[in-house]
Each structure stands twice: as structure tokens, then as C-alpha cells.
Amino acid sequence: MLTLSWTRPVVCAGQSGSPGPTKESLWQALLHKAEFPTGYVPAITQCRINERYPDGFLREIRRGNSTFLQRVIPQESAGRITYRHLDDTDIAEIRNEIGEDADGRLTLTLSITLTERPVAAVLAQNTYLRDLDADFHATLDAMTEGLNRAMMHADAEAAPHGPDGA
């Protein structure tokens, strides 16, 4: 899968004279946006909450001529809300994540993770991205292999030894 993300400070430069938002107030605003997105996301024209769960809710949104079903999972400790698409779309999930820039200002990162179908089309059309994808897939394969070896070595070192020290 391929993830794209965009990050912006929450407070614009012109607002620097007023007290900035707190992480808590930004979190509350993100929760409100999750339930009432039409006031925040111009492309979403309707939203209905279908079910609520202990860890989030199921919502149906209307964007243009399409209706999408999304499982919304707020994670306050991570400062993240994940929107998992349950329909057959090009987007697997969308994330809103609170962060902080080098100057200590609160930021919001919007990320989308594409499903395999659009990723295959993008990689087929773009040599640079295809080579980058292949390089990082190989890197991740090597990293996970090395991590597995390190974990197995650590487990072997921590295993209790028999009476003869073996």
C-alpha cells in the first residue's frame, strides 16, 4: 500500500498574537469534525452515524455523487483518528493526526493510504516511484529478517538453562 500525507501548523502566522490552541482543544475539535464533517470538509455534503462502539463509530458520508461507509476509530493517547473505508474504494484509510513542529506549534497531519488498485496504476506509470517502492520493499524485507534474528537471539539468551548450564 502507498500512504500520502500532508502536514500543516494549526495556527497560521497571522494568528500568532492570540493564545494558541491546546492539544486537548484540538482533539475535541477533531472529534467534532469526525461526527459533523460537513462544517470542516467541503467535499462531504452529508454524514450519518449508523452505530456506536466502545472504540468509535460507523458513519456513512456523502462525497459528490458517492456514498461511503467508514469505521471511525479515535485514539486520544496517540492524537489520531483513523477512518477505515469499508467500501470498495481507492482509499483504504484516512488519518488525522495531531503533532508538533520544530517551533512547538501544534500541527495536523492528513494521511491517506491507497488500496492496491491505484498503487499498481501509479507504479506502472512512474519509474521513479516504482524504483523507490522496490528499494523500500527490499529494505523492509531485510530489516524484518534482521529483527527476527535479533529477537530469536534475545529469546535464546533469556531462555532458562538446564542443570548442566546448557
Side-chain angles (χ1 to χ4, degrees):
M1 289 197 206
L2 180 65
T3 299
L4 304 169
S5 68
W6 301 265
T7 301
R8 300 284 184 279
V10 176
V11 177
C12 299
Q15 294 175 292
S16 59
S18 61
T22 64
K23 188 174 182 179
E24 294 75 26
S25 66
L26 178 54
W27 177 253
Q28 291 304 313
L30 281 177
L31 287 174
H32 189 264
K33 182 190 87 56
E35 292 196 36
F36 305 99
T38 58
Y40 301 87
V41 182
I44 297 177
T45 57
Q46 294 177 349
C47 178
R48 179 178 63 214
I49 307 297
N50 293 344
E51 291 183 54
R52 293 195 180 272
Y53 310 103
D55 67 340
F57 54 92
L58 182 69
R59 76 178 191 178
E60 185 177 301
I61 61 165
R62 182 118 178 116
R63 183 180 172 112
N65 293 328
S66 301
T67 301
F68 301 102
L69 198 58
Q70 296 176 321
R71 177 69 163 85
V72 181
I73 306 163
Q75 297 169 290
E76 185 173 8
S77 62
R80 177 177 54 238
I81 300 179
T82 303
Y83 303 83
R84 291 206 177 106
H85 282 250
L86 303 179
D87 303 307
D88 182 28
T89 70
D90 286 347
I91 297 175
E93 72 178 31
I94 299 170
R95 284 183 308 282
N96 295 170
E97 199 159 355
I98 297 171
E100 208 173 273
D101 68 11
D103 297 324
R105 295 179 299 177
L106 289 174
T107 60
L108 178 63
T109 298
L110 169 64
S111 303
I112 62 170
T113 300
L114 301 175
T115 60
E116 291 302 320
R117 184 177 54 236
V119 170
V122 166
L123 295 180
Q125 296 171 11
N126 189 304
T127 305
Y128 172 75
L129 288 177
R130 186 173 49 248
D131 291 347
L132 193 64
D133 182 65
D135 180 40
F136 277 90
H137 265 96
T139 298
L140 185 57
D141 288 344
M143 287 171 53
T144 54
E145 184 180 319
L147 289 168
N148 277 315
R149 279 194 314 270
M151 289 184 302
M152 289 172 54
H153 178 73
D155 287 345
E157 292 289 319
H161 299 288
D164 60 356

